[in-house]
Amino acid sequence: MKPGNLTRIITILAILFFYLPIIVVIVFSFNSSKSPEWTGFSLRWYYQLFTSSGYIWRTFLNSIIVGVSSSIVSVVLGTLGAISVYLGSKKFRKVMWTTTYIPFTIPDIIIGVSLLIFFTTLNVRLSLFTIFIAHVTFSMPYTMMIVLTRLHDFDKSIIEAAYDLGATKSVALRKVIVPVAMPGIIAAFFMAFTLSIDDFVITFFVAGPSSTTLPLQIFSMVRFGISPVINAISTLLLLGTIFMSVALRRYVRYII
Amino acid sequence: MPGSSVSIIEVDKYFGDFHVLKNVSLEIEENEFFSLLGPSGCGKTTLLRIIAGLEDVDDGDVLLDDKSILNLPPNKRPVNTIFQNYALFPHLSVYENIAFPLRLKKFSESEIKRRVDWLLNLVRLEEHAQKKPSQLSGGQKQRVSLARALANEPKVLLLDEPVSALDAKLRQELLIELDNLHDRVGITFIYVTHDQAEAISISDHVAVMNSGVVVQYGTPYEVYESPADTFVANFIGESNLMKGDVVEILSDEYIAVEFPSFGKVICYRDKPVKVDDTVLITLRPEKVRIMHNKPTPSDGIPGNVVHGIVDEVIYMGYQTKYFIKTDEGYILKVYKQHVSYLLDERIIKWKDEVFLYWNPDDSFIVEVEEN
Ligand SMILES: Nc1ncnc2c1ncn2[C@@H]1O[C@H](COP(=O)(O)OP(=O)(O)O)[C@@H](O)[C@H]1O
Ligand SMILES: [Mg+2]
């Protein structure tokens, strides 16, 4: 066998290995019975999901609230950070680059534990608000990096050109830097949203009793056995994600 | 749009410990085409940025029409810049790039349109008005940045190597266009380049810089014909630089110099020298004539005659570059322009024995070492 063929086969197997479980989930969400073998096509789990699973939708709503709000705040802060790094001196850039880079390598579990300790020390009651803070915290390095990557595609001289042509600093910011950064800002928003929607580990530590998110809910349901309703909601989530990434493919290159 | 005069007065600039501009003084006349010429890294861009207000000075002053502009921020100076990489706004169309400074001044939409259309016509980009910068060629981008910089009707236009990123042929075209544009808008142009041919071809005055120092200021003729020192002689055009000893003062105007490389030669005495001083003499290759037969005084040549052998021939169509090895083994560059049909002459070939001669006025002193 030629080495070219071997690598091709390995690649195909790896991709299959990645997609197979996902395909299984989709297929079994349409299964007519609870059993792990195919008994016929049915939409009963979807029906159940939409009619008698209010608790799932509440957690889904929680996830959306946290996802949207934390992404907005994270993108605003990340963009401001990226702009100050972009405009800052070389030294500042180096320091900021390192301090932003380190969080990528810190395990989620450590971020989760330290945030929990932080909140309990300050006597903050665990709630959706603490989840929101946690999500802003862990997604900000990503949003900042994504916006910075976009800005670095352009030489700083465009800002000097704006000054030269009569713009004040704030006009240059509004009319040049932010519009130029916009594709990065959009990419950063969806990255932050995606990170927030499916975060389990960190959320697990900082969630309160009445602030369950969808991933926490799914996990707790799985502990009592896999309900095909979970397959149904997973399939819908998957659909949403695919739809989003297709719609956003022109921004994808700014996502690391 | 009348332009302004610019005075740079004893400007010093440091980046940390690095002394980038050393006591630079320049007078730039109103409405002239002024070139700042020097090798890469000599501080040209820095000086331009100081005039634009994008960089502070550590000492000295910058005047526009005799008034200091140092306390004005860049957006308040009647000066606009063509950046080395054009710095077009990537998110705006050609039209909106040019309209950018006009919108900041809150002109009416119809006034903006009138002015942008005029500028688009000036740089011949009417058909490209709606394109984004990423869809333009290098030459087109350069013209957009030119139109954008002129939109504010500045009194001085600063151009930082505006054609250096383009290929040679386009470069020539754009230079001619730039020259025409200068005639049309009639404001002061300060043009930065490391290319001596560009600078001397279009400027009214040229300042030659080296490591943060202005080494020579003058018209293109002056800097070409009488370079102030070895650096200028080498940097502008090409030259033969030869070191020899003064053996005789012939008159107020001429000296005899003995070169170990090819004997005794008469040179122009453009600096005060005495017998026994060591001098560095420059001689432009195109000022030397080359022929097979030894010239006689009846040829009307009072000049210097040197004998040698052709060591290298580079035929370039409009001229031929010869490298002649003198009897003493020195290589002298000689460029012969072809002003008539070449094949009618007896062509000078490799290994031919030749005589070189030139007018003593063309070999002159650039540096003196007293002994
Ligand atoms: N912001 C800066 N910080 C430190 N050194 C600089 C800075 N800008 C330019 N320099 C240095 O100053 C010197 C002159 O630069 P510049 O004016 O750009 O030269 P030129 O345009 O003649 O090539 C160079 O050695 C360059 O590295
Ligand atoms: Mg430069």
Side-chain angles (χ1 to χ4, degrees):
Chain A
M1 204 191 315
K2 274 190 279 180
N5 287 340
L6 185 63
T7 52
R8 194 170 311 155
I9 286 167
I10 290 173
T11 310
I12 290 169
L13 284 177
I15 291 174
L16 266 182
F17 188 71
F18 177 75
Y19 277 107
L20 212 55
I22 297 176
I23 292 167
V24 168
V25 165
I26 297 173
V27 168
F28 279 90
S29 74
F30 295 106
N31 199 1
S32 60
S33 77
K34 231 181 160 115
S35 65
E37 64 227 46
W38 185 252
T39 53
F41 181 84
S42 133
L43 287 177
R44 65 182 273 216
W45 307 116
Y46 288 89
Y47 184 75
Q48 193 177 326
L49 176 64
F50 283 102
T51 54
S52 52
S53 308
Y55 57 102
I56 294 183
W57 289 105
R58 254 192 310 283
T59 61
F60 180 68
L61 188 67
N62 283 345
S63 278
I64 296 289
I65 291 169
V66 170
V68 170
S69 59
S70 72
S71 307
I72 290 173
V73 173
S74 163
V75 161
V76 170
L77 296 178
T79 302
L80 292 176
I83 290 171
S84 67
V85 171
Y86 179 64
L87 297 181
S89 66
K90 246 191 198 126
K91 211 166 166 186
F92 178 66
R93 215 173 315 163
K94 236 182 196 157
V95 172
M96 283 302 283
W97 191 264
T98 318
T99 48
T100 329
Y101 204 78
I102 288 171
F104 289 125
T105 60
I106 299 177
D108 281 0
I109 191 146
I110 291 175
I111 299 178
V113 169
S114 44
L115 279 167
L116 178 62
I117 293 169
F118 176 73
F119 289 136
T120 45
T121 323
L122 290 182
N123 251 326
V124 182
R125 204 170 52 84
L126 298 181
S127 63
L128 274 192
F129 179 71
T130 48
I131 302 177
F132 159 80
I133 296 288
H135 285 203
V136 171
T137 311
F138 76 70
S139 66
M140 219 185 76
Y142 290 89
T143 54
M144 184 167 143
M145 280 296 175
I146 292 168
V147 176
L148 198 55
T149 306
R150 166 69 186 179
L151 284 173
H152 275 317
D153 278 358
F154 299 95
D155 195 273
K156 261 204 259 186
S157 62
I158 56 172
I159 293 145
E160 296 187 330
Y163 297 155
D164 187 67
L165 293 164
T168 58
K169 289 211 157 107
S170 82
V171 170
L173 189 70
R174 275 183 293 124
K175 295 256 156 94
V176 177
I177 303 180
V178 171
V180 165
M182 198 42 86
I185 294 175
I186 292 170
F189 176 84
F190 285 101
M191 183 77 194
F193 185 76
T194 314
L195 287 172
S196 168
I197 280 289
D198 77 4
D199 179 69
F200 177 80
V201 177
I202 296 171
T203 312
F204 184 76
F205 283 95
V206 296
S210 62
S211 57
T212 309
T213 61
L214 187 59
L216 298 189
Q217 174 67 32
I218 292 175
F219 180 71
S220 73
M221 285 165 73
V222 168
R223 279 194 300 184
F224 304 111
I226 303 202
S227 153
V229 175
I230 294 174
N231 290 343
I233 193 157
S234 301
T235 304
L236 289 180
L237 272 180
L238 200 66
L239 217 66
T241 325
I242 290 170
F243 179 77
M244 213 162 82
S245 50
V246 169
L248 294 171
R249 63 194 179 284
R250 56 179 286 226
Y251 303 113
V252 163
R253 68 193 197 90
Y254 297 109
I255 296 178
I256 311 158
Chain B
M1 299 195 255
S4 294
S5 66
V6 180
S7 312
I8 314 284
I9 300 169
E10 298 179 353
V11 163
D12 276 286
K13 174 73 189 174
Y14 293 84
F15 285 123
D17 291 337
F18 179 44
H19 201 171
V20 197
L21 296 176
K22 300 167 186 155
N23 200 33
V24 170
S25 291
L26 283 173
E27 286 295 333
I28 298 156
E29 293 166 20
E30 56 189 28
N31 305 340
E32 77 166 322
F33 199 123
F34 182 89
S35 283
L36 205 53
L37 171 63
S40 179
C42 74
K44 308 178 296 289
T45 298
T46 306
L47 186 55
L48 215 59
R49 290 169 59 83
I50 287 172
I51 301 172
L54 298 168
E55 208 82 67
D56 294 328
V57 301
D58 289 307
D59 195 14
D61 206 347
V62 178
L63 312 182
L64 211 74
D65 291 331
D66 304 322
K67 281 192 288 292
S68 177
I69 52 167
L70 282 188
N71 46 13
L72 293 179
N75 53 332
K76 294 267 161 45
R77 298 190 186 192
V79 168
N80 283 111
T81 310
I82 308 290
F83 289 84
Q84 203 158 359
N85 58 5
Y86 315 132
L88 299 181
F89 303 128
H91 60 298
L92 298 178
S93 65
V94 168
Y95 184 97
E96 285 302 324
N97 262 280
I98 300 172
F100 185 88
L102 302 172
R103 290 199 189 285
L104 293 178
K105 284 195 171 163
K106 309 253 184 277
F107 283 115
S108 71
E109 200 60 42
S110 60
E111 178 64 11
I112 289 173
K113 179 157 177 17
R114 195 184 64 76
R115 294 196 184 207
V116 175
D117 285 345
W118 185 82
L119 288 159
L120 281 169
N121 172 275
L122 185 73
V123 296
R124 296 180 295 105
L125 283 174
E126 293 100 331
E127 320 88 277
H128 304 286
Q130 296 314 321
K131 287 192 181 162
K132 285 280 174 67
S134 56
Q135 296 166 284
L136 301 177
S137 71
Q140 290 168 337
K141 284 184 195 164
Q142 200 260 1
R143 302 213 298 268
V144 177
S145 79
L146 210 55
R148 187 181 67 175
L150 290 171
N152 263 339
E153 306 193 338
K155 299 202 167 296
V156 179
L157 188 67
L158 308 174
L159 304 103
D160 194 357
E161 313 222 8
V163 300
S164 64
L166 309 171
D167 62 73
K169 206 150 175 163
L170 198 57
R171 206 147 62 205
Q172 269 307 312
E173 282 175 33
L174 277 163
L175 273 180
I176 294 167
E177 256 179 53
L178 218 53
D179 199 15
N180 290 333
L181 195 72
H182 177 247
D183 293 342
R184 282 186 71 180
V185 296
I187 58 170
T188 313
F189 276 36
I190 303 180
Y191 184 95
V192 159
T193 179
H194 67 269
D195 185 319
Q196 47 90 18
E198 279 171 23
I200 62 177
S201 62
I202 47 174
S203 316
D204 297 311
H205 286 103
V206 179
V208 186
M209 279 181 75
N210 187 21
S211 330
V213 178
V214 174
V215 287
Q216 190 168 9
Y217 165 86
T219 61
Y221 313 112
E222 284 163 357
V223 293
Y224 187 83
E225 296 291 343
S226 5
D229 63 10
T230 327
F231 169 79
V232 181
N234 265 328
F235 190 67
I236 302 197
E238 288 186 61
S239 65
N240 294 293
L241 280 168
M242 311 163 288
K243 202 174 226 179
D245 295 318
V246 178
V247 289
E248 196 181 343
I249 307 291
L250 300 170
S251 69
D252 279 352
E253 286 188 54
Y254 297 102
I255 50 175
V257 180
E258 176 80 30
F259 294 99
S261 44
F262 49 77
K264 201 162 114 180
V265 156
I266 301 169
C267 295
Y268 187 66
R269 186 188 183 189
D270 58 327
K271 289 189 169 66
V273 287
K274 323 182 289 294
V275 173
D276 275 354
D277 283 351
T278 300
V279 288
L280 200 63
I281 298 290
T282 178
L283 173 63
R284 296 284 187 199
E286 75 276 9
K287 301 275 165 70
V288 182
R289 287 200 258 171
I290 182 168
M291 49 171 44
H292 281 112
N293 304 319
K294 183 165 182 159
T296 59
S298 63
D299 291 327
I301 298 140
N304 296 304
V305 178
V306 166
H307 176 258
I309 291 176
V310 178
D311 196 58
E312 189 90 55
V313 181
I314 303 170
Y315 175 66
M316 302 180 72
Y318 66 102
Q319 72 170 11
T320 301
K321 298 185 171 186
Y322 296 102
F323 292 77
I324 309 298
K325 191 180 226 161
T326 64
D327 295 345
E328 288 80 3
Y330 181 82
I331 302 282
L332 205 62
K333 288 180 276 189
V334 178
Y335 299 167
K336 180 177 161 67
Q337 299 299 314
H338 301 311
V339 292
S340 58
Y341 188 57
L342 195 59
L343 299 179
D344 287 348
E345 299 174 19
R346 188 181 148 204
I347 294 175
I348 297 166
K349 296 200 194 68
W350 186 56
K351 292 289 182 208
D352 278 3
E353 269 195 44
V354 290
F355 290 93
L356 308 176
Y357 65 94
W358 67 89
N359 189 320
D361 287 356
D362 290 327
S363 48
F364 55 88
I365 307 168
V366 282
E367 266 169 41
V368 184
E369 284 170 31
E370 286 183 29
N371 286 338

